[in-house]
Amino acid sequence: MVLRIERRGSDAGSRLFYGLMAIGICLYVIVGGELFCRYYLGLGTPPLSIAHPTIEYLFAPDQELSRFGNRIAYNHWSMRNEQISETNDTSQARIMVIGDSVVNGGSLSDHSNLATTILTDEKTLYMNVSAGSWGPANELAYLQTFGFFDAKALIIVLSGHDASDLPTFAPLDPNILPQARPWLALGEAVERYLPRYVPGHTAKASALGKLPTRNIDLSPLKTMIELATGKGLSVCVILHHTKADRLSGTLNHGLAAIQSAAKAHGANVIDDKSFLDPETSYRDDIHVSNKGQGDLSLALLDCLKASP
């Protein structure tokens, strides 16, 4: 009887020991995973977005953070720039560059590597007004809301899909446009990035995100050009090609329509294929690498030369 009691006590002690060890291992994995995701991968600090009644969405103002080792900063006017005044009270000339994630660079581009930063110096400030997936309608609404900040020129960077890109004003997807920072970097990795590596997720996400085919509507671009020229700004449009179109040598029908509309309304048009190398300037099919940002800066300069 005594031996049986001792064995039971021994079994209970073993279960307690292994239970505590399992808890310790779990805590070690969670803490280690959190540190790895936050300080090695750079997760846990996504740039935040806010919904807007006319622009649809834009980056939250006055935020500065480190993401994937890159400095990301948005000023009081949601530009990816250092802080500036609403009116130009300096000797710097101001150039406004407006576009989507190509201009913005995303979290994989450090502030110092952006085309607009590369060109900014004591004489000229290049304002980076951009957000992922913005089209002409979003850009026009930004200008109607905030104005031109005493810019002397407006450069609009557009891709073929922008010819039919209109806002939906749907609720913002937190996995694409987060509006609050996650409690844990590890949680962001599991919820936002891990599913992308699950087999079948890409096809499913593509199907869910597929929008009905839309007709080309360039009325926002025409209004944007008219608004800028009416304020005395010179306007230039840069046609940005995808890597696939560059390699195939084809002209996207959306870009062709943008080119015609821009010229018809008095804007100068520059094609970036003279500056971007399809083999080295692209990060993926449409976004540009750090080298591509440098190449894009040359296209911006050429755009200004072409403007009166």
Side-chain angles (χ1 to χ4, degrees):
M1 178 68 70
V2 174
L3 291 176
R4 201 172 299 148
I5 293 173
E6 289 178 351
R7 188 176 296 114
R8 287 173 182 170
S10 176
D11 291 343
S14 296
R15 285 195 296 272
L16 177 61
F17 171 77
Y18 287 116
L20 291 174
M21 188 165 65
I23 292 172
I25 291 173
C26 289
L27 289 174
Y28 177 81
V29 170
I30 291 173
V31 172
E34 173 66 15
L35 293 175
F36 176 80
C37 290
R38 185 170 294 276
Y39 296 107
Y40 183 77
L41 297 181
L43 298 177
T45 55
L48 302 183
S49 298
I50 55 175
H52 191 277
T54 60
I55 302 172
E56 187 181 20
Y57 59 87
L58 69 165
F59 283 103
D62 303 314
Q63 56 178 323
E64 183 168 349
L65 51 97
S66 177
R67 183 76 164 168
F68 305 126
N70 298 315
R71 178 173 175 254
I72 314 294
Y74 290 93
N75 66 17
H76 188 66
W77 313 104
S78 299
M79 301 176 187
R80 193 166 178 188
N81 280 91
E82 308 295 346
Q83 294 293 349
I84 65 170
S85 59
E86 186 173 7
T87 57
N88 190 4
D89 54 4
T90 71
S91 59
Q92 274 184 318
R94 289 183 172 185
I95 309 298
M96 179 175 284
V97 183
I98 195 164
D100 59 10
S101 52
V102 174
V103 172
N104 184 274
S107 295
L108 296 180
S109 296
D110 186 84
H111 178 78
S112 63
N113 293 324
L114 300 175
T116 48
T117 305
I118 292 170
L119 293 177
T120 293
D121 56 26
E122 294 180 356
K123 295 181 178 180
T124 310
L125 169 67
Y126 285 77
M127 297 177 286
N128 188 315
V129 180
S130 59
S133 296
W134 265 10
N138 307 98
E139 296 155 8
L140 170 62
Y142 180 96
L143 297 177
Q144 290 172 328
T145 302
F146 295 107
F148 293 93
F149 299 89
D150 287 342
K152 71 172 188 177
L154 174 67
I155 301 177
I156 310 167
V157 182
L158 297 173
S159 303
H161 63 268
D162 291 319
S164 54
D165 186 345
L166 294 174
T168 64
F169 294 97
L172 303 186
D173 184 341
N175 286 325
I176 300 174
L177 299 169
Q179 298 175 76
R181 294 208 169 94
W183 285 100
L184 296 173
L186 182 60
E188 183 183 13
V190 171
E191 294 180 11
R192 188 174 180 184
Y193 291 100
L194 185 61
R196 301 182 185 186
Y197 299 95
V198 175
H201 173 267
T202 301
K204 181 179 179 181
S206 177
L208 290 174
K210 188 175 182 181
L211 296 173
T213 301
R214 294 172 175 168
N215 295 326
I216 287 177
D217 182 357
L218 290 171
S219 56
L221 174 61
K222 297 172 184 177
T223 304
M224 187 161 36
I225 294 171
E226 291 171 352
L227 180 64
T229 54
K231 297 285 187 180
L233 283 73
S234 61
V235 181
C236 183
V237 174
I238 292 181
L239 306 179
H240 177 65
H241 298 258
T242 64
K243 180 178 180 179
D245 286 345
R246 287 294 313 280
L247 292 174
S248 66
T250 59
L251 177 62
N252 181 285
H253 73 283
L255 275 185
I258 290 171
Q259 182 179 43
S260 298
K263 287 183 176 180
H265 285 76
N268 290 296
V269 178
I270 295 295
D271 198 314
D272 74 359
K273 68 181 180 182
S274 301
F275 302 91
L276 271 63
D277 182 346
E279 299 296 342
T280 60
S281 299
Y282 289 81
R283 178 174 288 140
D284 50 37
D285 187 51
I286 191 166
H287 300 103
V288 297
S289 61
N290 286 339
K291 177 186 179 300
Q293 287 285 342
D295 298 334
L296 180 60
S297 72
L298 299 178
L300 296 178
L301 284 176
D302 202 60
C303 223
L304 289 178
K305 292 176 184 177
S307 300

